[in-house]
Amino acid sequence: MFILNHLWIILALPLAGFAISLLAGRHWPHKYVNFSSVTAVVLAFLAFCELAREFVHLAPQQPWIQSYFTWMTAGNFRVDFALQVDQLTMVMLGVVTLVGMLIHIYSTGYMAHEEGYYRFFAEMNLFMFFMLTLVMAANLVLMFVGWEGVGLCSYLLISFFFQKKSAADAGKKAFITTRIGDFGFTLGILLAFWTFHAVDFKTIFAQAANMPVEGMHSWGVLTSICLLLFAGAVGKSAQLPLYVWLPDAMEGPTPVSALIHAATMVTAGVYMVSRMHVLFSRAPAAMLAVAIVGAITAFYSATIGLAQTDIKKVLAYSTVSQLGYMFLGCGVGAYAAGIFHLMTHAFFKGLLFLAAGSVIHAMGGEQDMRNMGGLWKKIPWTYATMLIATLAISGAPLFAGFFSKDEILFEAYAGPNANHVLYGFGIAGALLTACYMFRLIFLTFHGKPRYDEHHVHAHESPKTMLVPLVILAILSIFGGWVALPPYWGGVNYFDSFLGPAFQTSSELAAKLNPSWVEPAHSLELQMTGIAVAVALIGFLIAWYVYILKPELPKKIAQGFRPIHQLLLQKYYVDELYEAVIVGPCVWLSRNVLWKIIDVGLIDGTVNGLAFLSRGVGGGLRHIQGGNTRSYAAWVVAGAVAVTIFFVWMVR
């Protein structure tokens, strides 16, 4: 049980890759940077594979915890540097290390001609270290270190092209926006310590398991903790109203978009809510808030994706929408379904971003889909893999996204915490997803070329970029087969594997809903039929509008100009935030904090004291003029003053 007893190895490998690349990479050719950085992530994945073998062989029913040293102590506050592994951790480790490894390999081709090559891979390795820390942490404080670390790396990688103003602004926007949510997350950790007198998960969950379930209309401390923690998830996982940073984050290199803003970091909020399921299951109001935010975000972001023309922006809003589905699953108590969609989403959304990067590479940097078209003949491998990912995200039968999204929608409709209104948002979002994703496929790869073929020589990407695409395409097809529905005669191995991790919440849901009866397979089959039909309708709409009637989009845009502009301008939310929040904050900072407090009060006080000291010193310096008669006069004056003082005192 080597890795189980030395969990730190999985963290140490990418950290070592970061240190080597940062310290020596500046003077190395690319192949040496590749060896140090990519090898570190490959070894981390191999270490995970060995850990998986040991974990399955041991089959622990409780989390396997390794505490290495006491990190902080203050009174009764104690934090250990402790790592843990359970079924939930294993799923997340597999996703992070596998997808991270593939994207690192892809990046060796995509970033080959960019400046700062060593810096890019150093920051990618550092991100892997913090993400693995977040996933493996055995307490809230260490999780928070990983949480903030991935936020830092996100800022660095979004701003990778820092000489480009839009990239620098996007990095700052992401960093500041997520800090808003992290403020709530910090308060949630403090309130959890105040309540449980501990920050490690084992102690918190043991105490929470003995606490009563809080009422929907009578909030207690558990609801408050969960809502504060969820605020952090809203920021990190780009949910309403803090989603605005993610589309702008597409200013970073495409591999960054694939790794951080599709497959791993943005799912940290979903993982955190699932990890804290013992608390959330006892706070129905908090669970409802999670479900509402997720369902509305899923639909809202999908509507924006219908009108975007930048290929990466479409995928960005798609990511926000799919994250909403994950939160919907967690909010209705289907934590395993939410994590299942997290895993399949990592496969097909990582593939979509990498394929988009291949398209951009082929087009010489062009990202506007209106300037593409007819590319399927030029880049057939990219087209085939991107089509597979599109089928997966649209919920086409047998593809990975079909199984995971269908499970979430079914739980929202017929689960113990079902909510038909939220199910309606989810099914509407599914229709829009199929519509805007096939719109992307048709505009990019089909129709006549809308670019100058004499100046743009579209070409297929190198093998270092195509191999990860093919592997992710295979996973996008077969990755969902680990959870075949019972009505197909299959076994949901994924739910069975995660069962011990969510057993407490499952038992509690059964107690709280004694009248709930598991629905018949026939109902599940009907709901699956509805989901497939909706996805098919979305595909047919896109096919009719962009293939059969290619002149129709312009007519629709002109005929419904106000609605089209509303979607194209993303509901003017950025402008609203600028007017209501950013503008007043800048005005307050400039006119009050800077001009009045900083310049007027602080600088004025310091400068005034300096001016006074200078004036007094300037007057006193005349005493020291070097004139003997002047000195004698001052001595006499001093003597007279002293004499008068003593005479007055005697009287």
Side-chain angles (χ1 to χ4, degrees):
M1 299 300 173
F2 179 72
I3 301 296
L4 270 174
N5 291 321
H6 300 84
L7 295 174
W8 58 268
I9 291 175
I10 299 178
L11 300 183
L13 288 167
L15 185 62
F18 157 73
I20 293 171
S21 296
L22 187 66
L23 296 175
R26 179 189 295 270
H27 308 291
W28 281 356
H30 287 183
K31 62 180 180 179
Y32 292 160
V33 175
N34 294 344
F35 180 78
S36 64
S37 300
V38 178
T39 301
V41 181
V42 172
L43 290 176
F45 173 70
L46 294 177
F48 159 74
C49 293
E50 171 59 20
L51 174 64
R53 187 192 68 80
E54 296 175 6
F55 186 84
V56 171
H57 177 73
L58 185 64
Q61 294 300 305
Q62 298 294 329
W64 182 275
I65 301 175
Q66 289 288 320
S67 181
Y68 295 99
F69 56 86
T70 299
W71 181 21
M72 290 184 285
T73 55
N76 64 343
F77 177 74
R78 171 177 170 167
V79 181
D80 291 344
F81 186 89
L83 305 177
Q84 76 171 35
V85 172
D86 64 357
Q87 290 79 4
L88 177 58
T89 309
M90 292 301 297
V91 173
M92 292 299 297
L93 280 177
V95 170
V96 173
T97 55
L98 174 59
V99 177
M101 177 184 69
L102 294 175
I103 293 175
H104 272 73
I105 295 172
Y106 174 94
S107 299
T108 60
Y110 189 87
M111 300 296 293
H113 304 293
E114 300 290 348
E115 295 183 6
Y117 189 81
Y118 81 96
R119 177 167 56 88
F120 174 82
F121 278 97
E123 291 170 359
M124 291 280 277
N125 278 181
L126 183 63
F127 167 80
M128 290 291 292
F129 164 74
F130 280 122
M131 189 66 201
L132 293 171
T133 300
L134 188 159
V135 169
M136 299 177 69
N139 57 68
L140 281 168
V141 175
L142 188 58
M143 174 187 273
F144 187 71
V145 171
W147 188 275
E148 292 300 299
V150 295
L152 169 65
C153 293
S154 176
Y155 164 74
L156 294 173
L157 287 165
I158 293 170
S159 309
F160 181 76
F161 302 114
F162 57 87
Q163 294 180 328
K164 186 179 176 184
K165 186 178 184 303
S166 58
D169 290 344
K172 289 183 288 185
K173 184 176 183 178
F175 193 79
I176 294 170
T177 304
T178 53
R179 292 292 75 71
I180 297 172
D182 291 351
F183 177 70
F185 191 41
T186 305
L187 293 179
I189 294 174
L190 295 175
L191 185 56
F193 174 73
W194 179 81
T195 304
F196 302 106
H197 306 290
V199 292
D200 62 287
F201 299 134
K202 185 177 181 180
T203 303
I204 290 175
F205 296 164
Q207 293 185 36
N210 297 319
M211 297 176 69
V213 176
E214 296 179 352
M216 182 67 72
H217 304 292
S218 56
W219 289 7
V221 66
L222 291 181
T223 302
S224 299
I225 292 172
C226 291
L227 289 175
L228 288 170
L229 294 178
F230 181 56
V234 167
K236 192 69 72 182
S237 295
Q239 297 294 282
L240 282 166
L242 300 180
Y243 71 94
V244 291
W245 66 269
L246 183 58
D248 287 8
M250 297 304 108
E251 289 288 343
T254 299
V256 173
S257 303
L259 178 63
I260 295 183
H261 306 126
T264 55
M265 188 198 84
V266 292
T267 62
V270 181
Y271 166 74
M272 184 271 292
V273 171
S274 300
R275 171 61 67 199
M276 305 302 292
H277 67 94
V278 177
L279 273 62
F280 276 88
S281 296
R282 285 166 172 75
M287 286 185 63
L288 181 61
V290 173
I292 290 174
V293 170
I296 295 176
T297 302
F299 174 76
Y300 169 85
S301 301
T303 61
I304 299 177
L306 289 171
Q308 301 306 302
T309 57
D310 185 306
I311 189 170
K312 288 178 66 176
K313 287 288 181 71
V314 174
L315 297 180
Y317 282 105
S318 171
T319 299
V320 176
S321 180
Q322 296 303 307
L323 289 167
Y325 280 104
M326 299 175 207
F327 281 113
L328 173 60
C330 293
V332 297
Y335 298 103
I339 295 298
F340 184 34
H341 195 56
L342 182 156
M343 182 185 77
T344 60
H345 176 265
F347 299 151
F348 59 69
K349 184 52 65 64
L351 174 56
L352 283 169
F353 269 109
L354 295 186
S358 184
V359 170
I360 295 168
H361 178 269
M363 294 293 296
E366 179 62 64
Q367 295 185 197
D368 193 328
M369 296 183 297
R370 294 171 298 183
N371 299 326
M372 298 180 187
L375 288 176
W376 73 273
K377 293 181 181 179
K378 304 284 187 179
I379 46 176
W381 283 93
T382 299
Y383 170 66
T385 54
M386 198 166 196
L387 179 61
I388 289 171
T390 300
L391 290 167
I393 193 175
S394 300
L398 298 181
F399 289 82
F402 164 75
F403 297 104
S404 57
K405 189 183 293 186
D406 180 66
E407 189 173 352
I408 289 174
L409 291 174
F410 180 70
E411 290 291 337
Y413 183 84
N417 301 297
N419 188 308
H420 291 179
V421 174
L422 299 183
Y423 167 79
F425 276 102
I427 205 72
L431 185 149
L432 296 178
T433 299
C435 189
Y436 69 69
M437 284 308 306
F438 278 100
R439 168 180 176 264
L440 182 151
I441 289 290
F442 295 147
L443 283 176
T444 303
F445 295 101
H446 291 268
K448 295 180 180 179
R450 295 181 297 278
Y451 58 92
D452 189 345
E453 297 185 76
H454 297 290
H455 292 86
V456 178
H457 303 285
H459 57 285
E460 192 61 275
S461 299
K463 290 182 179 179
T464 53
M465 295 172 64
L466 291 179
V467 170
L469 294 184
V470 173
I471 295 174
L472 287 173
I474 294 171
L475 292 171
S476 297
I477 297 173
F478 300 108
W481 289 25
V482 295
L484 288 176
Y487 63 83
W488 281 31
V491 178
N492 195 329
Y493 293 106
F494 193 84
D495 278 5
S496 300
F497 178 74
L498 283 179
F502 297 124
Q503 182 177 2
T504 303
S505 294
S506 300
E507 294 174 350
L508 182 61
K511 291 180 181 178
L512 294 177
N513 300 277
S515 60
W516 179 77
V517 179
E518 187 171 350
H521 293 331
S522 58
L523 176 61
E524 191 170 358
L525 187 61
Q526 292 172 16
M527 302 309 299
T528 300
I530 292 173
V532 172
V534 163
L536 180 60
I537 292 171
F539 161 76
L540 291 175
I541 292 173
W543 177 70
Y544 179 80
V545 173
Y546 293 98
I547 296 297
L548 290 185
K549 303 287 185 179
E551 73 284 353
L552 199 54
K554 283 188 177 181
K555 294 181 179 178
I556 294 175
Q558 293 172 356
F560 298 91
R561 183 173 178 79
I563 297 176
H564 179 262
Q565 281 297 116
L566 188 66
L567 298 180
L568 187 63
Q569 299 301 324
K570 301 155 286 190
Y571 292 99
Y572 296 96
V573 171
D574 283 308
E575 290 79 0
L576 177 65
Y577 284 178
E578 177 69 30
V580 176
I581 300 174
V582 179
C585 284
V586 170
W587 184 90
L588 182 68
S589 299
R590 179 181 294 120
N591 294 285
V592 178
L593 299 179
W594 174 40
K595 292 184 179 180
I596 296 177
I597 296 178
D598 190 10
V599 176
L601 184 59
I602 298 175
D603 289 353
T605 301
V606 173
N607 294 337
L609 289 173
F611 181 79
L612 179 63
S613 299
R614 182 178 180 182
V616 173
L620 293 176
R621 70 183 177 84
H622 294 294
I623 299 175
Q624 303 292 331
N627 190 313
T628 305
R629 286 181 297 178
S630 176
Y631 292 161
W634 282 110
V635 170
V636 171
V640 171
V642 170
T643 302
I644 293 172
F645 174 75
F646 280 110
V647 170
W648 181 80
M649 289 292 293
V650 170
R651 291 181 60 188

